[in-house]
Amino acid sequence: MKILVCISHVPDTTSKINFTDNDSKFDSNGVQYVINPYDEFALTRAMWFKEKQGATVTVVNVGNVSTEPTLRKALAIGADDAIRVNAEPTDGFAVAKELAEVVKNGGFNLVLAGKESSDYNGGMVPGMLAALLDFSFVNACIGLEIEGEKATISREIDGGKEILSSNLPLIIAGQKGLVEEKDLRIPNMRGIMMARKKPLTVVEPINSEAATSIISFEKQAAKAACKMVDADNVDELIRLLHNEAKVI
Amino acid sequence: MSVLVFAETSEGKFKKSAFEVTSYGKKVAEQLGTNVVVLTINSNEPTLLYMYGAEKVLNVSNDALRTFNAKVYANIIKQAAEKENSKLVIIDSNANAIYLAPTLAVNLSAGYASNVVALPTSTSPFTLKRKTFSNKAFNYTELTTDCKVISLAKNSFGLVENKVDGNVEEFSPQLIESGLTSTSVEQTTGKVTIADADVVVSGGRGLKGPENWGMIEELADVFGAATACSKPVSDLGWRPHSEHVGQTGKPVASNLYVAVGISGAIQHLAGVNSSKVKVVINTDPEAPFFKAADYGIIGDAFEVVPKLIEKLKEFKANNA
Ligand SMILES: Cc1cc2nc3c(=O)[nH]c(=O)nc-3n(C[C@H](O)[C@H](O)[C@H](O)COP(=O)(O)OP(=O)(O)OC[C@H]3O[C@@H](n4cnc5c(N)ncnc54)[C@H](O)[C@@H]3O)c2cc1C
């Protein structure tokens, strides 16, 4: 099994979100970057397939040189090698086309990604990649088992779950459940040392055309102050929800 | 050219979001000076869509489509778009819709914008306001392709009544093969899901343990609400993962969100701040959630929640 894990390089979840250049660019000043939380579930599941079923695990990112520490972190967690496609990831469709080249050239038969990246929240790359390659695709994946060429996949649906089966090749977009939170790994010293020596290949993009472009950003409007209600007067809360907020 | 809307059903019934995307599609069609066509699969009552402006409804009736399959559904939407010469397809943001959207976009060589929260701010260039950075901000995105797919964020536009004299046409698309087989579906019936709920009642670590969720469930019951929880609560196994809301869990965009014993960490708020009205019950006056809430009670959940249940029951009885 040749696994490719797609790694998105995103601001830490605690980051304050600000914009510069007349609100046209994200302000990365002072921002800590991490592996996209959803991708961590995918990477951890990939490590399980490596350790228990002898799979090889390659991680990939479409991005400029600043994303390399994030790829090194994935190597420190245990991936065998890394690929960086040297392009600005401005549009999901273009990223998917770049990744499709990587999958074809590398002969991967299982691609694990996160269901969305926590910065632009597009939720489009894995599904587009599958459609471009004509691989089976499961979104919101909360369980994956592979036996030979056969995969059993669970996906979360509104109010429950669905079990699906498919042959490889397969692409899944994962989330918590694919592995548990407690199974996520933090790189240890030995992993970090080894990661320095693992191959990180930079490939040039095919320069696929973007289908969308972001013109500007806007922050959430400031909120009015919270109205406090006395704990001994919950009637007042009900009155406010009924008469003022009109939600009950 | 017409605007094509995909209105989702569940066991023959329209989801609430089906009416929301139809309302939205009608307005976008007006902006573009064209008409709206609504595609639906196995609907028991397709004429319900007239109320929200659907002039034409394409209804597909086929038992083979009882179980959702993203690839097959995306292909049907593509066939409908081609038949109606639609360059713009609008879907909602339920689990199935966002699953099929990227496939549909590739099928149509379309640009795809998810998390759209308002009518296009301009139709030429075609520009959309979208949620981004896990609800901490918005962006304005231009779609530069000829064909476009957009997914409307839940509860961002609302239902707009706009009754028209419509017509329903039966549509019989070709069904393609998919390499994926659905072997089973487990779905709790009779329980409101977080995705569909108008009200969500959510509990945090302040509730001390799973044995204390009885009052949360009762409060949810009285509200007709779905239950949810903060991340540590599901990590600790007090509640199932499906209830975890926030930046790395489910997004909540209900009319009312009631947070009990939740501190309001940035990752939690990111996932729930699309809710219209937020109520917080917390013992700590310094809890960050109060800064993001509309109404707050400083107090012990174990005292406040039972009182709230009692008073809410009285209110419901008087307003029934
Ligand atoms: C990468 C990452 C992603 C994350 N994603 C999410 C996410 O998606 N969703 C999420 O929720 N969190 C997420 N978190 C975790 C987040 O940072 C917080 O740790 C979490 O939200 C806190 O949960 P809590 O409010 O239930 O618990 P706590 O922070 O422990 O707060 C408990 C609250 O209960 C109050 N309290 C105590 N006793 C009572 C009582 N008797 N009555 C009333 N109030 C009481 C306390 O005053 C306190 O405010 C994420 C963290 C990271 C690092």
Side-chain angles (χ1 to χ4, degrees):
Chain A
M1 196 164 20
K2 280 197 79 176
I3 303 179
L4 183 69
V5 183
C6 304
I7 301 285
S8 181
H9 162 90
V10 299
D12 177 336
T13 53
T14 56
S15 306
K16 292 266 181 294
I17 304 299
N18 290 305
F19 305 103
T20 62
D21 291 15
N22 224 347
D23 284 339
S24 69
K25 278 204 186 75
F26 175 64
D27 183 359
S28 57
N29 235 319
V31 170
Q32 219 25 54
Y33 279 84
V34 295
I35 298 176
N36 178 39
Y38 294 107
D39 304 347
E40 274 192 86
F41 294 106
L43 177 61
T44 308
R45 190 65 190 146
M47 294 316 303
W48 190 91
F49 289 125
K50 175 176 154 75
E51 286 155 14
K52 302 281 198 271
Q53 300 186 349
T56 62
V57 177
T58 303
V59 288
V60 64
N61 169 265
V62 178
N64 62 34
V65 67
S66 71
T67 72
E68 287 190 4
T70 300
L71 281 174
R72 288 277 173 213
K73 186 176 170 201
L75 292 172
I77 287 171
D80 299 303
D81 60 342
I83 299 171
R84 180 173 67 82
V85 180
N86 191 24
E88 283 299 330
T90 51
D91 166 63
F93 211 153
V95 169
K97 286 178 184 165
E98 296 297 341
L99 291 173
E101 283 303 301
V102 172
V103 174
K104 278 189 241 164
N105 294 337
F108 296 100
N109 59 352
L110 180 62
V111 181
L112 307 182
K115 74 160 181 182
E116 66 177 39
S117 59
S118 62
D119 49 2
Y120 292 95
N121 315 105
M124 48 183 99
V125 171
M128 286 180 164
L129 179 60
L132 290 167
L133 294 165
D134 200 23
F135 284 15
S136 291
F137 170 59
V138 177
N139 201 33
C141 176
I142 51 172
L144 174 65
E145 302 293 338
I146 311 270
E147 250 180 86
E149 283 297 299
K150 196 166 174 297
T152 306
I153 315 122
S154 326
R155 91 168 166 111
E156 183 170 55
I157 56 177
D158 294 331
K161 70 173 177 183
E162 180 181 20
I163 315 288
L164 298 137
S165 67
S166 164
N167 283 334
L168 298 182
L170 169 72
I171 299 184
I172 62 102
Q175 60 184 47
K176 186 159 84 175
L178 187 54
V179 298
E180 296 300 315
E181 186 81 17
K182 63 174 171 21
D183 299 326
L184 295 179
R185 299 175 186 196
I186 300 163
N188 57 25
M189 215 41 219
R190 187 163 165 271
I192 294 168
M193 299 300 287
M194 281 169 65
R196 291 192 189 142
K197 298 197 193 82
K198 288 181 180 172
L200 191 163
T201 316
V202 179
V203 302
E204 287 309 314
I206 54 168
N207 286 324
S208 42
E209 206 183 322
T212 60
S213 66
I214 293 175
I215 312 302
S216 63
F217 294 93
E218 182 180 295
K219 290 216 243 180
Q220 289 273 3
K223 260 197 83 63
C226 180
K227 268 196 191 164
M228 300 309 290
V229 176
D230 197 275
D232 293 321
N233 195 6
V234 294
D235 268 331
E236 172 68 4
L237 177 66
I238 291 170
R239 198 189 62 74
L240 287 166
L241 292 177
H242 182 60
N243 294 335
E244 189 178 85
K246 299 192 176 14
V247 287
I248 59 170
Chain B
M1 172 208 134
S2 55
V3 170
L4 182 70
V5 168
F6 176 56
E8 240 188 283
T9 57
S10 168
E11 295 182 349
K13 286 210 194 85
F14 285 116
K15 298 192 177 177
K16 189 174 150 203
S17 59
F19 301 130
E20 187 177 21
V21 274
T22 303
S23 306
Y24 179 81
K26 171 71 179 171
K27 290 287 173 205
V28 176
E30 280 172 7
Q31 261 185 325
L32 293 168
T34 180
N35 63 316
V36 61
V37 178
V38 185
L39 170 71
T40 177
I41 295 177
N42 289 328
S43 161
N44 296 337
E45 219 180 328
T47 55
L48 287 177
L49 296 168
Y50 298 164
M51 182 56 87
Y52 302 96
E55 289 126 12
K56 178 171 176 183
V57 180
L58 294 181
N59 187 41
V60 180
S61 307
N62 189 331
D63 278 340
L65 299 170
R66 292 275 164 218
T67 307
F68 172 83
N69 180 296
K71 191 171 173 179
V72 176
Y73 272 47
N75 182 267
I76 292 172
I77 300 173
K78 177 191 184 217
Q79 291 179 52
E82 282 167 355
K83 169 173 145 38
E84 297 296 327
N85 188 26
S86 303
K87 300 285 185 205
L88 175 62
V89 182
I90 300 171
I91 59 170
D92 65 31
S93 51
N94 283 327
N96 290 348
I98 58 171
Y99 181 4
L100 67 79
T103 309
L104 176 62
V106 171
N107 287 351
L108 293 170
S109 298
Y112 167 45
S114 49
N115 294 317
V116 171
V117 293
L119 289 171
T121 50
S122 143
T123 54
S124 177
F126 198 81
T127 312
L128 295 158
K129 182 176 184 179
R130 304 165 63 197
K131 292 197 267 197
T132 193
F133 288 99
S134 302
N135 282 331
K136 293 173 193 165
F138 299 101
N139 73 47
Y140 292 86
T141 303
E142 248 177 58
L143 288 185
T144 46
T145 46
D146 182 32
C147 265
K148 302 167 182 73
V149 175
I150 68 184
S151 140
L152 181 69
K154 188 203 156 192
N155 221 357
S156 58
F157 189 71
L159 307 189
V160 182
E161 291 192 3
N162 199 339
K163 194 162 175 21
V164 291
D165 262 339
N167 69 294
V168 176
E169 187 182 306
E170 281 301 318
F171 174 47
S172 308
Q174 301 282 319
L175 300 195
I176 57 162
E177 287 295 320
S178 146
L180 266 181
T181 319
S182 174
T183 50
S184 71
V185 175
E186 288 167 33
Q187 208 161 10
T188 23
T189 46
K191 225 184 143 223
V192 199
T193 63
I194 293 172
D196 288 335
D198 290 328
V199 182
V200 172
V201 175
S202 190
R205 201 149 51 179
L207 289 166
K208 315 277 190 290
E211 66 282 4
N212 297 325
W213 246 263
M215 62 178 190
I216 296 295
E217 282 176 343
E218 191 178 355
L219 182 60
D221 227 36
V222 191
F223 269 123
T227 48
C229 68
S230 67
K231 177 170 176 285
V233 165
S234 76
D235 289 343
L236 289 162
W238 295 359
R239 300 296 291 176
H241 289 326
S242 56
E243 286 197 3
H244 161 196
V245 297
Q247 182 165 350
T248 53
K250 283 201 178 63
V252 182
S254 52
N255 291 332
L256 173 62
Y257 182 73
V258 182
V260 185
I262 299 178
S263 58
I266 187 165
Q267 299 97 342
H268 186 87
L269 295 180
V272 305
N273 69 15
S274 295
S275 290
K276 302 244 150 68
V277 176
K278 288 166 286 267
V279 172
V280 171
I281 301 169
N282 197 307
T283 40
D284 176 9
E286 301 295 322
F289 215 142
F290 286 116
K291 291 205 178 65
D294 301 279
Y295 302 102
I297 294 184
I298 299 167
D300 186 339
F302 296 94
E303 287 161 24
V304 176
V305 173
K307 272 194 272 183
L308 187 54
I309 291 169
E310 187 196 315
K311 295 293 179 185
L312 198 59
K313 279 185 179 161
E314 280 173 24
F315 169 84
K316 293 269 165 171
N318 294 334
N319 287 269

